[in-house]
Amino acid sequence: SQVSINSTKARIELLESDNFQLFTILSNLLNLNTVLNGPILTLLSSLVGDTYTERFKFWQVLDNWLFTSGRSNSFISLPKERMSKKLNNYQMISGFIDLISKLFWPLDTSGNMFVPYSHPFPLDLGSVVRKPGIWCYIDYLCTEILPEVDSSPITEDEKASLKFSVLSVMEVCLSQLDPDLVLNATACHVKDMDYITENKSIIRFFQSHPGSAVLNYLYNNKVYNSLFEICNLGIDQLDELSGSSVWVKLLQKAVKIINMTLSREKFFADELIHILRLPDNKFVDPTAIGMSGLKSFYESFLLDLPLIANLSLYVGSAKLEIAKTSLEIIHTVISSKIFSGSENGIHSK
């Protein structure tokens, strides 16, 4: 797998040689449901390329294995439960995350700056047996894996590795959700935003977006509490760890995701929630959309005040990326109307 990771040419040759023979063999082995499934998923991840055509093959194999192999094609109303039963050990979960982290990565559009907005997966993925799209994948990662890692019978390093992998996927998805897309299109006098998307529907684009799913689940108390727990590492322990420590990298990833959430909240509250709650949303149940009882993400900080203290202390850390992001969060939080006590807070800007 390292050969294909380090060489694009080697990856393409391994994938396409003998009419995709290696890919076919791995796909067939995956469906046998052996103890090798974890390594097989990791090996598949090393073969994922940058084009939609390639990604389509991998999505189909993964989704069919998770939801259709060894069962009738009756509709699955709770796909997350199906995934939990299928991915039942550390190696399989780790391999699964390795694979989808590659599959969620943005497609290579460097050759054409005017390419329409699109997703690196088929919008009708899994539609035969469940709600189409990737919301169930994000739901599983955010609400099943991340909050439950600490109770798993695995080593502390393995727990940290899984958390880091989940947060990395969340970051990739959030980074593709541009909160200024509508404003920028308006400024450029784009009259019909449907034409800037591949599927000719800006509504469907946002409804199916993995960033929309991540942002929605970040308001789930299990999810933000997991993030806050990572962020409450403490300045003393942070100072003792080297910059290459997995715990430092995990903290850096967690504060970045919190910062990204805050920067997207106005867009989420003012526009995206209404789009996701439209009754014709076929990708997720509209009743599952919202802030889970919070008026804003800033309210969640009131439930964990030591977090504010820790973030304030991180500002003085020698770990510059963590210090910078923590400062940005503190500045945003104290400017919010919940903490400033002013109606002219961050949401009115």
Side-chain angles (χ1 to χ4, degrees), residues 88-105:
N88 54 21
N89 61 57
Y90 170 76
Q91 275 197 321
M92 288 178 68
I93 294 172
S94 179
F96 166 77
I97 299 175
D98 286 341
L99 180 53
I100 63 168
S101 67
K102 291 289 189 67
L103 293 176
F104 275 127
W105 199 257

Side-chain angles (χ1 to χ4, degrees), residues 25 32 36 73 79 85 103-104 154 156 225 289 296 328:
I25 291 172
L32 293 177
L36 295 175
N73 287 348
K85 291 177 181 178
L103 293 176
F104 275 127
I154 56 179
E156 291 303 310
N225 282 336
I289 303 301
S296 79
E328 290 174 357

Side-chain angles (χ1 to χ4, degrees), residues 63 75-76 79 121-137 204 207-208 281-285:
D63 205 76
F75 192 80
I76 302 172
F121 53 85
L123 295 190
D124 62 349
L125 181 69
S127 59
V128 174
V129 294
R130 59 174 178 82
K131 282 187 175 294
I134 47 72
W135 275 75
C136 61
Y137 287 85
R204 289 285 182 262
Q207 288 177 340
S208 59
N281 186 347
K282 63 180 182 179
F283 302 101
V284 64
D285 184 349

Side-chain angles (χ1 to χ4, degrees), residues 273-290:
I273 282 181
H274 305 292
I275 293 173
L276 299 179
R277 282 179 174 169
L278 290 173
D280 64 345
N281 186 347
K282 63 180 182 179
F283 302 101
V284 64
D285 184 349
T287 62
I289 303 301

Side-chain angles (χ1 to χ4, degrees), residues 66-67 78-89 92-93 140 144-145:
L66 284 171
F67 300 111
L78 298 172
K80 185 173 69 171
E81 292 186 3
R82 169 77 176 176
M83 297 174 76
S84 296
K85 291 177 181 178
K86 199 82 171 183
L87 301 164
N88 54 21
N89 61 57
M92 288 178 68
I93 294 172
Y140 173 71
E144 189 71 21
I145 296 298

Side-chain angles (χ1 to χ4, degrees), residues 149-202:
V149 168
D150 285 329
S151 61
S152 303
I154 56 179
T155 68
E156 291 303 310
D157 284 345
E158 287 173 337
K159 291 177 182 178
S161 177
L162 275 184
K163 289 180 183 178
F164 182 82
S165 296
V166 172
L167 295 191
S168 296
V169 175
M170 293 170 69
E171 180 190 354
V172 166
C173 295
L174 279 176
S175 66
Q176 297 174 65
L177 183 66
D178 183 0
D180 298 321
L181 178 60
V182 176
L183 288 175
N184 291 339
T186 302
C188 293
H189 304 290
V190 176
K191 294 181 179 180
D192 190 344
M193 291 190 63
D194 288 341
Y195 288 100
I196 68 173
T197 64
E198 183 71 31
N199 67 322
K200 298 298 184 286
S201 172
I202 191 66

Side-chain angles (χ1 to χ4, degrees), residues 108-279:
D108 181 14
T109 58
S110 57
N112 184 0
M113 63 182 297
F114 298 107
V115 66
Y117 286 96
S118 63
H119 297 313
F121 53 85
L123 295 190
D124 62 349
L125 181 69
S127 59
V128 174
V129 294
R130 59 174 178 82
K131 282 187 175 294
I134 47 72
W135 275 75
C136 61
Y137 287 85
I138 302 299
D139 185 11
Y140 173 71
L141 282 180
C142 292
T143 67
E144 189 71 21
I145 296 298
L146 186 61
E148 303 299 330
V149 168
D150 285 329
S151 61
S152 303
I154 56 179
T155 68
E156 291 303 310
D157 284 345
E158 287 173 337
K159 291 177 182 178
S161 177
L162 275 184
K163 289 180 183 178
F164 182 82
S165 296
V166 172
L167 295 191
S168 296
V169 175
M170 293 170 69
E171 180 190 354
V172 166
C173 295
L174 279 176
S175 66
Q176 297 174 65
L177 183 66
D178 183 0
D180 298 321
L181 178 60
V182 176
L183 288 175
N184 291 339
T186 302
C188 293
H189 304 290
V190 176
K191 294 181 179 180
D192 190 344
M193 291 190 63
D194 288 341
Y195 288 100
I196 68 173
T197 64
E198 183 71 31
N199 67 322
K200 298 298 184 286
S201 172
I202 191 66
I203 298 296
R204 289 285 182 262
F205 174 76
F206 282 126
Q207 288 177 340
S208 59
H209 203 297
S212 300
V214 170
L215 198 54
N216 182 70
Y217 291 122
L218 275 164
Y219 287 83
N220 182 303
N221 68 311
K222 290 198 304 182
V223 181
Y224 65 69
N225 282 336
S226 297
L227 275 180
F228 293 173
E229 185 177 348
I230 295 169
C231 292
N232 281 323
L233 177 70
I235 187 64
D236 292 336
Q237 191 168 350
L238 177 60
D239 287 343
E240 291 173 3
L241 294 169
S242 70
S244 60
S245 165
V246 65
W247 299 101
V248 172
K249 292 179 179 178
L250 186 57
L251 173 58
Q252 184 174 316
K253 193 72 71 175
V255 294
K256 184 173 184 179
I257 287 175
I258 289 174
N259 201 28
M260 294 174 79
T261 305
L262 296 176
S263 68
R264 286 158 174 75
E265 176 162 285
K266 181 173 174 54
F267 168 65
F268 182 61
D270 293 351
E271 299 179 55
L272 190 56
I273 282 181
H274 305 292
I275 293 173
L276 299 179
R277 282 179 174 169
L278 290 173

